[in-house]
Coordinates of all heavy atoms in Angstrom, one line a residue:
P99 N -33.8 75.0 44.3 CA -32.5 75.5 44.1 C -32.4 76.7 43.1 O -33.2 76.6 42.1 CB -31.6 74.3 43.6 CG -32.7 73.4 42.9 CD -34.0 73.6 43.8
V100 N -31.6 77.6 43.3 CA -31.4 78.8 42.5 C -30.0 78.6 41.8 O -29.0 78.6 42.4 CB -31.4 80.1 43.1 CG1 -31.2 81.2 42.2 CG2 -32.8 80.2 43.9
F101 N -30.1 78.5 40.4 CA -28.8 78.2 39.7 C -28.2 79.4 39.0 O -27.3 79.3 38.2 CB -29.3 77.1 38.5 CG -29.7 75.8 39.0 CD1 -31.1 75.6 39.0 CD2 -28.8 74.8 39.4 CE1 -31.5 74.3 39.5 CE2 -29.3 73.6 39.8 CZ -30.6 73.3 39.8
T102 N -28.6 80.5 39.5 CA -28.0 81.8 38.9 C -26.5 81.9 39.1 O -25.7 82.1 38.2 CB -28.7 83.0 39.5 OG1 -30.1 82.9 39.2 CG2 -28.3 84.3 38.8
S103 N -26.1 81.7 40.4 CA -24.7 81.8 40.8 C -24.0 80.7 40.1 O -22.8 80.9 39.6 CB -24.5 81.7 42.2 OG -25.1 82.7 42.8
L104 N -24.5 79.5 40.0 CA -23.8 78.4 39.3 C -23.6 78.6 37.8 O -22.5 78.4 37.3 CB -24.6 77.0 39.6 CG -24.0 75.9 38.8 CD1 -22.7 75.5 39.4 CD2 -25.0 74.6 39.1
L105 N -24.6 79.1 37.2 CA -24.5 79.4 35.8 C -23.4 80.6 35.5 O -22.7 80.4 34.5 CB -25.9 79.8 35.2 CG -26.9 78.8 35.2 CD1 -28.3 79.3 34.8 CD2 -26.5 77.5 34.3
K106 N -23.4 81.5 36.3 CA -22.4 82.6 36.2 C -21.0 82.1 36.3 O -20.1 82.4 35.5 CB -22.7 83.7 37.2 CG -23.9 84.5 36.9 CD -24.1 85.7 38.0 CE -25.3 86.5 37.7 NZ -25.4 87.5 38.8
T107 N -20.9 81.1 37.3 CA -19.6 80.5 37.5 C -19.1 79.6 36.4 O -18.0 79.6 35.9 CB -19.6 79.7 38.8 OG1 -20.1 80.5 39.9 CG2 -18.3 79.2 39.1
L108 N -20.1 78.9 35.8 CA -19.8 78.1 34.6 C -19.4 78.9 33.4 O -18.6 78.5 32.6 CB -21.1 77.2 34.3 CG -21.4 76.1 35.2 CD1 -22.6 75.3 34.9 CD2 -20.1 75.1 35.4
A109 N -20.1 80.1 33.3 CA -19.8 81.0 32.2 C -18.3 81.5 32.4 O -17.6 81.6 31.3 CB -20.8 82.1 32.2
I110 N -17.9 81.8 33.6 CA -16.6 82.2 33.8 C -15.6 81.1 33.5 O -14.5 81.4 32.8 CB -16.4 82.7 35.4 CG1 -17.2 83.9 35.6 CG2 -14.9 83.0 35.6 CD1 -17.2 84.3 37.1
I111 N -15.9 79.9 33.9 CA -15.0 78.8 33.5 C -14.9 78.5 32.0 O -13.8 78.3 31.4 CB -15.5 77.5 34.2 CG1 -15.3 77.6 35.7 CG2 -14.7 76.3 33.6 CD1 -15.8 76.5 36.5
G112 N -16.1 78.8 31.3 CA -16.1 78.7 29.9 C -15.2 79.6 29.2 O -14.5 79.4 28.2
V113 N -15.3 80.9 29.8 CA -14.4 82.0 29.2 C -13.0 81.7 29.4 O -12.1 81.9 28.5 CB -14.7 83.3 29.8 CG1 -13.7 84.5 29.4 CG2 -16.2 83.7 29.4
I114 N -12.6 81.2 30.6 CA -11.2 80.8 30.9 C -10.7 79.7 29.9 O -9.6 79.7 29.3 CB -11.1 80.3 32.3 CG1 -11.3 81.5 33.3 CG2 -9.8 79.7 32.5 CD1 -11.3 81.0 34.8
Y115 N -11.5 78.6 29.6 CA -11.2 77.7 28.7 C -11.1 78.2 27.3 O -10.2 77.8 26.5 CB -12.2 76.5 28.7 CG -12.1 75.5 29.8 CD1 -13.0 75.4 30.8 CD2 -10.9 74.7 29.9 CE1 -12.8 74.4 31.8 CE2 -10.7 73.8 30.9 CZ -11.7 73.6 31.8 OH -11.5 72.7 32.8
L116 N -12.0 79.0 26.9 CA -11.9 79.7 25.5 C -10.6 80.5 25.4 O -10.0 80.4 24.3 CB -13.2 80.6 25.4 CG -13.2 81.3 24.0 CD1 -13.4 80.2 22.8 CD2 -14.4 82.2 24.0
I117 N -10.2 81.2 26.4 CA -9.1 82.1 26.3 C -7.8 81.1 26.1 O -6.9 81.3 25.3 CB -8.8 82.8 27.5 CG1 -9.8 83.9 27.6 CG2 -7.3 83.4 27.6 CD1 -9.8 84.8 28.9
G118 N -7.8 79.9 26.9 CA -6.7 79.0 26.8 C -6.7 78.3 25.4 O -5.6 78.2 24.8
T119 N -7.9 77.9 24.9 CA -7.9 77.3 23.6 C -7.5 78.3 22.5 O -6.6 77.9 21.5 CB -9.3 76.8 23.3 OG1 -9.8 75.9 24.3 CG2 -9.4 76.1 21.9
L120 N -8.0 79.4 22.4 CA -7.7 80.5 21.4 C -6.1 80.8 21.6 O -5.5 80.8 20.5 CB -8.4 81.8 21.6 CG -9.9 81.7 21.3 CD1 -10.6 83.0 21.4 CD2 -10.1 81.2 19.8
S121 N -5.5 80.9 22.7 CA -4.1 81.2 22.9 C -3.3 80.0 22.3 O -2.3 80.1 21.6 CB -3.8 81.4 24.4 OG -4.5 82.5 24.8
N122 N -3.7 78.8 22.6 CA -3.1 77.6 22.0 C -3.1 77.6 20.6 O -2.0 77.4 19.9 CB -3.8 76.4 22.6 CG -2.9 75.2 22.5 OD1 -1.9 75.2 21.9 ND2 -3.2 74.2 23.2
L123 N -4.2 77.9 19.9 CA -4.4 78.0 18.5 C -3.5 79.0 17.9 O -2.8 78.9 16.9 CB -5.9 78.1 18.1 CG -6.1 78.5 16.6 CD1 -5.8 77.1 15.9 CD2 -7.6 78.7 16.4
I124 N -3.5 80.2 18.6 CA -2.8 81.4 17.9 C -1.2 81.1 17.9 O -0.5 81.2 16.9 CB -3.0 82.7 18.7 CG1 -4.5 83.0 18.4 CG2 -2.1 83.8 18.3 CD1 -4.9 84.3 19.2
Y125 N -0.7 80.6 19.1 CA 0.7 80.4 19.1 C 1.2 79.2 18.3 O 2.3 79.3 17.7 CB 1.3 80.3 20.6 CG 1.2 79.1 21.3 CD1 2.1 78.0 21.0 CD2 0.4 78.8 22.3 CE1 2.0 76.8 21.6 CE2 0.3 77.6 23.1 CZ 1.1 76.6 22.7 OH 1.0 75.4 23.4
N126 N 0.4 78.2 18.2 CA 0.8 77.1 17.3 C 0.8 77.5 15.8 O 1.7 77.1 15.1 CB -0.1 75.9 17.5 CG 0.3 75.0 18.7 OD1 1.2 74.4 18.7 ND2 -0.5 75.2 19.8
R127 N -0.1 78.3 15.4 CA -0.3 78.8 14.1 C 0.9 79.7 13.8 O 1.5 79.6 12.7 CB -1.7 79.5 13.8 CG -1.8 80.0 12.4 CD -1.9 78.8 11.5 NE -2.1 79.3 10.1 CZ -1.1 79.7 9.2 NH1 0.1 79.6 9.7 NH2 -1.3 80.0 8.0
M128 N 1.2 80.6 14.6 CA 2.3 81.5 14.4 C 3.7 80.8 14.5 O 4.6 81.1 13.7 CB 2.4 82.6 15.5 CG 1.2 83.5 15.5 SD 1.2 84.9 16.6 CE 2.5 85.8 15.8
M129 N 3.8 79.7 15.3 CA 5.1 79.0 15.2 C 5.3 78.3 13.8 O 6.5 78.1 13.5 CB 5.1 78.0 16.3 CG 5.4 78.6 17.8 SD 6.9 79.7 17.8 CE 8.1 78.4 17.5
V130 N 4.1 77.8 13.3 CA 4.3 77.2 12.0 C 4.9 78.2 11.0 O 5.8 77.8 10.1 CB 3.0 76.6 11.5 CG1 3.1 76.1 10.1 CG2 2.6 75.3 12.5
T131 N 4.3 79.4 11.0 CA 4.8 80.3 10.0 C 6.2 80.8 10.3 O 6.9 81.0 9.3 CB 3.8 81.7 10.2 OG1 2.5 81.3 10.0 CG2 4.2 82.7 9.2
I132 N 6.6 81.0 11.5 CA 8.0 81.3 11.9 C 8.9 80.2 11.4 O 10.0 80.5 10.9 CB 8.1 81.5 13.4 CG1 7.3 82.8 13.8 CG2 9.6 81.6 13.8 CD1 7.2 83.0 15.3
A133 N 8.5 78.9 11.6 CA 9.4 77.8 11.2 C 9.6 77.8 9.8 O 10.8 77.6 9.2 CB 8.8 76.5 11.7
Q134 N 8.5 78.0 8.9 CA 8.7 78.0 7.5 C 9.4 79.0 7.0 O 10.4 78.9 6.1 CB 7.3 77.9 6.8 CG 6.4 76.7 7.1 CD 7.0 75.5 6.6 OE1 7.8 75.4 5.6 NE2 6.7 74.3 7.2
G135 N 9.4 80.2 7.5 CA 10.1 81.3 7.2 C 11.6 81.2 7.5 O 12.5 81.5 6.7
T136 N 11.9 80.6 8.7 CA 13.2 80.3 9.1 C 13.9 79.3 8.2 O 15.1 79.5 7.8 CB 13.2 79.9 10.5 OG1 12.7 80.9 11.3 CG2 14.8 79.6 11.0
L137 N 13.2 78.3 7.8 CA 13.8 77.3 7.0 C 14.0 77.8 5.5 O 15.0 77.4 4.9 CB 12.8 76.1 6.9 CG 12.8 75.2 8.1 CD1 11.9 74.0 7.8 CD2 14.0 74.9 8.8

């Protein structure tokens, strides 16, 4: 078996998960700042 295509696909999935995780971290962190400033 040649795993080149599989590894590329796994890398793409990893990038997608990384984008989702970073986005989740950023908006949660910003909402905490917004909440404290509003209060």
Side-chain angles (χ1 to χ4, degrees):
V100 179
F101 296 98
T102 304
S103 299
L104 178 61
L105 293 177
K106 290 181 179 180
T107 305
L108 291 176
I110 295 174
I111 294 180
V113 171
I114 293 175
Y115 277 118
L116 180 61
I117 293 175
T119 302
L120 291 178
S121 299
N122 201 344
L123 174 63
I124 292 172
Y125 83 72
N126 277 290
R127 181 66 181 84
M128 294 186 68
M129 285 305 298
V130 171
T131 303
I132 293 173
Q134 294 298 334
T136 304
L137 289 189

